[in-house]
Amino acid sequence: MNQQLFDHLLLIYGADQVQDLADRLGSMVVEFAGRNPQLTAKPAVNRVSEQDSILITYGDKVQEEGIMPLESLTEFLKEMVGDTISTVHILPFYPYSSDDGFSVIDYKQVDPNLGSWEDVDQIGRSFRLMFDAVVNHISVQSDWFAGFLNDDPRFRNFFTLVEQDFDFSQVFRPRTLPLLTEVETAAGPKQVWTTFSADQVDLNYAEPQVLFEVIDTLLFYVAHGAEFIRLDAIAYIWKESGSSCIHLPQTHEIIRLMRTVLDQAAPHVAIITETNVPHADNISYFGNGFNEAQMVYNFSLPPLTLHAFQTGTAEPLSSWARTLTLPSKGTTFFNFLASHDGIGLTPARGLLSELEIQSMADRVEALGGYVSYKINPDGSKSAYELNINFLDALRDPENLQEEIDLEVKRFIASQAIMLVLRGVPGIYFHSLFGSRNWQAGVQLTGRNRSINREKLNARTLKAELSDQESLRHKVHNYYCRLLNARRAEPAFHPNGDQYVLDIDPVVFAVRRTSVDGRSTVLCLQHVSAVPRRIHFPTGQNAQRNILNGEIISGDLIDLAAYDVLWLQPIKSEQ
């Protein structure tokens, strides 16, 4: 008997039939190992290092006439990114019915409009791979839901139905859309749970077969090369009357079960939880450091970084960053600033005041962005997400004619903050290639998030990147310089030490030290356009900025607008 699987299943489902469930799941793991011995034997050690960064992209982000999008993406990344990026996170590339891929019709197929599994495998020959497991919900156009509508016994319990006496009073709502959707089935009308939209119906994990199907899907992704698996919206997977229906004990236990299965079947694979919630709830998905996610999305980082540049003070960001501890060497943060979604505001609550949060929202709207809202338990609405390209979010609405070079410096300074923090950086495609707001996309789709989801013509994009005076060229060139410096410096290892310093309110300062203690880098990111002279005792040795080779000596450092200095002591010759 596989005791670990038995213990997880017992806590999730109770004693009835747990032995049979454990035996079935154990057989799945054994069968996978038999088919994929090279994966089961692959160790978890050295999973990530300072050389790792993850590019977040849709499969059709780069398009060329006559070439399948995944093939076009592969060739573009090989040419324009190379080994600067280690890993590609392909956002859901499965057949879908809405939400730009997150309403999945079939978990195990590649959208034929994008390409094939061979195209995915081709990307995996040049980069490590990260897949999405969109397993809180599935499309109403899926075979699973069709079976449910037809009252097929296999799928009868696959979706969350609501009894009349269910107490919804404490349910956390991330959207203003209705929580329940009525559908007509062969057994009569049913109310199904739809957390995110009427097209995305929530799976019922109280039915063990649902969990088994999902685990089978995770193992399928691993067999196709996934080394990182993002658990989308995972906080909502368990429902209980009278509860918030988010972060419930069964949810955590299911993630622990997934972790155990992957540890046994493919120990090199890491789980990354996507939980857009306040920081304390977010980091709870590390578990005890050994039993849940190896990485969690660092959701408080984007709004706090944006606030720093909008206000010219890094104090709230620095105060929060000092609290960033990890429960074990096997865990780390997935640091990001921009993504296919917007900038979540819930993770900033408790770290910024409501007035500060609303000020950010007002400024984003003044810059042509949008604000999405959620319903609170008392029925009121509050800002939930800022929908805007991150480069544009940093701009000053009263000075939109500023020079491109200043815009680039400010944007790169923001990205540098993400790169120096302990963890693995996740870089959105449009950030690496200097995109702006796509207003036409919002008008086209009617969805706020489209503002940062533009699809690009490969030939046009390459032409812009080759123009040394263009915004795209300047952003991409500078960004790659940061990434290459980071890759070459052991002090940026995710398990290296991190110490946030209190030097000056306008500077986000952090000292990083390598795992072996031999290498140290002092990272200074100036969040203001106003030049500043700061006092920082450097000791007897001069320091070199590893980004440009500049030598800094003395205790006074002059910072120009949005300067980034990564300083390393110059060792005196013996």
Side-chain angles (χ1 to χ4, degrees):
M1 180 181 72
N2 193 317
Q3 188 64 46
Q4 285 183 291
L5 300 181
F6 181 94
D7 292 343
H8 292 306
L9 291 164
L10 181 64
L11 289 171
I12 298 168
Y13 296 114
D16 293 346
Q17 298 183 328
V18 67
Q19 184 65 65
D20 175 61
L21 295 176
D23 289 343
R24 287 173 55 198
L25 188 54
S27 295
M28 286 176 60
V29 174
V30 170
E31 290 170 6
F32 179 88
R35 295 191 305 270
N36 305 278
Q38 77 284 3
L39 298 179
T40 303
K42 197 171 182 178
V45 295
N46 301 319
R47 179 183 285 115
V48 291
S49 74
E50 67 277 2
Q51 297 187 21
D52 284 293
S53 55
I54 299 175
L55 182 69
I56 307 165
T57 181
Y58 283 102
D60 59 355
K61 189 60 65 184
V62 181
Q63 302 186 350
E64 292 181 85
E65 187 175 352
I67 301 177
M68 295 304 291
L70 284 172
E71 182 182 350
S72 179
L73 176 66
T74 304
E75 294 308 311
F76 177 83
L77 293 179
K78 287 165 64 176
E79 179 182 350
M80 303 305 301
V81 173
D83 59 5
T84 301
I85 295 286
S86 68
T87 305
V88 177
H89 171 200
I90 316 172
L91 291 162
F93 50 86
Y94 325 112
Y96 70 97
S97 55
S98 66
D99 199 17
D100 286 341
F102 283 88
S103 186
V104 179
I105 293 174
D106 189 329
Y107 291 127
K108 294 185 177 180
Q109 297 296 321
V110 175
D111 183 349
N113 295 309
L114 296 178
S116 65
W117 276 113
E118 173 56 33
D119 293 315
V120 175
D121 295 342
Q122 185 67 31
I123 297 177
R125 294 185 182 102
S126 299
F127 303 93
R128 303 174 76 185
L129 292 173
M130 176 171 164
F131 291 178
D132 278 282
V134 190
V135 293
N136 173 72
H137 48 264
I138 197 170
S139 170
V140 297
Q141 295 184 28
S142 64
D143 287 345
W144 292 7
F145 196 65
F148 166 78
L149 293 178
N150 292 326
D151 199 32
D152 182 334
R154 179 188 172 193
F155 299 104
R156 190 172 291 157
N157 298 318
F158 263 44
F159 301 95
T160 302
L161 302 178
V162 180
E163 304 297 333
Q164 289 187 346
D165 61 349
F166 194 96
D167 179 4
F168 294 95
S169 61
Q170 301 302 312
V171 174
F172 176 81
R173 292 294 295 122
R175 295 287 187 275
T176 56
L177 297 170
L179 176 63
L180 304 179
T181 300
E182 184 171 303
V183 295
E184 192 65 41
T185 78
K190 304 286 186 182
Q191 294 272 357
V192 294
W193 197 294
T194 51
T195 295
F196 295 101
S197 83
D199 189 54
Q200 297 166 302
V201 59
D202 287 37
L203 295 171
N204 175 28
Y205 281 83
E207 167 56 53
Q209 188 56 37
V210 169
L211 178 60
F212 280 38
E213 293 283 358
V214 166
I215 289 176
D216 180 67
T217 298
L218 299 184
L219 293 174
F220 179 83
Y221 292 163
V222 171
H224 276 281
E227 295 188 48
F228 304 91
I229 295 178
R230 174 184 183 269
L231 298 180
D232 177 73
I234 197 67
Y236 301 93
I237 62 173
W238 195 273
K239 280 73 174 175
E240 192 118 333
S241 178
S243 77
S244 64
C245 296
I246 186 172
H247 313 311
L248 297 187
Q250 294 91 335
T251 296
H252 284 280
E253 198 62 41
I254 287 170
I255 296 171
R256 291 170 192 149
L257 174 61
M258 292 175 175
R259 167 71 182 267
T260 295
V261 167
L262 291 175
D263 281 351
Q264 294 181 7
H268 68 288
V269 174
I271 288 173
I272 307 178
T273 49
E274 188 262 341
T275 52
N276 189 356
V277 295
H279 185 69
D281 293 322
N282 189 33
I283 60 176
S284 71
Y285 287 86
F286 280 133
N288 65 13
F290 302 94
N291 63 351
E292 289 193 45
Q294 287 94 342
M295 286 192 269
V296 301
Y297 271 70
N298 210 351
F299 270 105
S300 296
L301 180 59
L304 290 177
T305 301
L306 179 60
H307 174 267
F309 284 88
Q310 287 187 347
T311 61
T313 176
E315 288 186 303
L317 172 65
S318 298
S319 295
W320 164 78
R322 291 188 188 96
T323 71
L324 294 179
T325 58
L326 294 168
S328 76
K329 293 291 186 181
T331 59
T332 197
F333 289 104
F334 183 83
N335 294 320
F336 76 108
L337 290 178
S339 74
H340 58 289
D341 291 340
I343 301 167
L345 294 175
T346 300
R349 289 191 159 88
L351 303 171
L352 299 175
S353 70
E354 286 300 318
L355 183 62
E356 288 173 313
I357 290 173
Q358 188 58 51
S359 177
M360 291 172 64
D362 293 342
R363 183 161 173 149
V364 161
E365 289 184 323
L367 289 165
Y370 303 90
V371 180
S372 298
Y373 291 86
K374 72 176 183 69
I375 296 177
N376 299 316
D378 63 1
S380 63
K381 293 197 305 181
S382 59
Y384 168 79
E385 183 178 84
L386 306 179
N387 300 113
I388 190 170
N389 174 282
F390 204 86
L391 187 152
D392 280 324
L394 295 169
R395 302 178 76 190
D396 181 352
E398 297 182 1
N399 184 23
L400 296 178
Q401 303 303 316
E402 62 188 349
E403 295 181 358
I404 285 181
D405 286 346
L406 185 64
E407 280 195 84
V408 172
K409 282 196 70 177
R410 181 175 56 221
F411 179 67
I412 290 298
S414 73
Q415 305 304 294
I417 289 173
M418 172 184 69
L419 296 181
V420 301
L421 283 174
R422 182 166 48 195
V424 177
I427 304 161
Y428 189 45
F429 187 96
H430 284 303
S431 292
L432 185 60
F433 295 102
S435 296
R436 288 201 181 279
N437 287 335
W438 188 39
Q439 294 286 2
V442 178
Q443 303 304 315
L444 181 67
T445 67
R447 298 191 300 272
N448 291 351
R449 286 179 170 177
S450 295
I451 199 169
N452 203 25
R453 295 182 178 183
E454 185 176 7
K455 305 178 196 306
L456 303 170
N457 177 273
R459 181 175 297 180
T460 302
L461 179 56
K462 289 178 183 178
E464 292 176 334
L465 288 170
S466 66
D467 178 1
Q468 295 188 11
E469 297 305 314
S470 73
L471 176 67
R472 288 197 188 279
H473 173 87
K474 292 175 184 288
V475 168
H476 180 246
N477 186 60
Y478 206 157
Y479 215 137
C480 288
R481 193 191 314 168
L482 291 181
L483 286 168
N484 287 325
R486 186 183 188 277
R487 290 175 60 242
E489 181 43 64
F492 293 120
H493 192 286
N495 292 139
D497 285 341
Q498 171 174 295
Y499 183 71
V500 178
L501 296 93
D502 183 14
I503 294 178
D504 189 289
V506 302
V507 177
F508 180 77
V510 58
R511 180 183 288 115
R512 294 297 312 277
T513 305
S514 61
V515 175
D516 61 11
R518 295 181 179 180
S519 180
T520 298
V521 179
L522 171 64
C523 305
L524 305 177
Q525 285 75 215
H526 186 200
V527 303
S528 170
V530 180
R532 189 81 153 201
R533 171 170 286 186
I534 62 172
H535 178 267
F536 184 76
T538 60
Q540 298 298 315
N541 295 331
Q543 300 184 84
R544 176 182 289 109
N545 184 355
I546 64 174
L547 295 175
N548 59 15
E550 180 185 2
I551 304 300
I552 304 292
S553 58
D555 294 345
L556 296 177
I557 301 176
D558 288 314
L559 297 175
Y562 306 118
D563 264 354
V564 176
L565 279 67
W566 291 357
L567 303 176
Q568 194 163 54
I570 300 174
K571 297 179 180 179
S572 59
E573 297 183 4
Q574 300 297 322

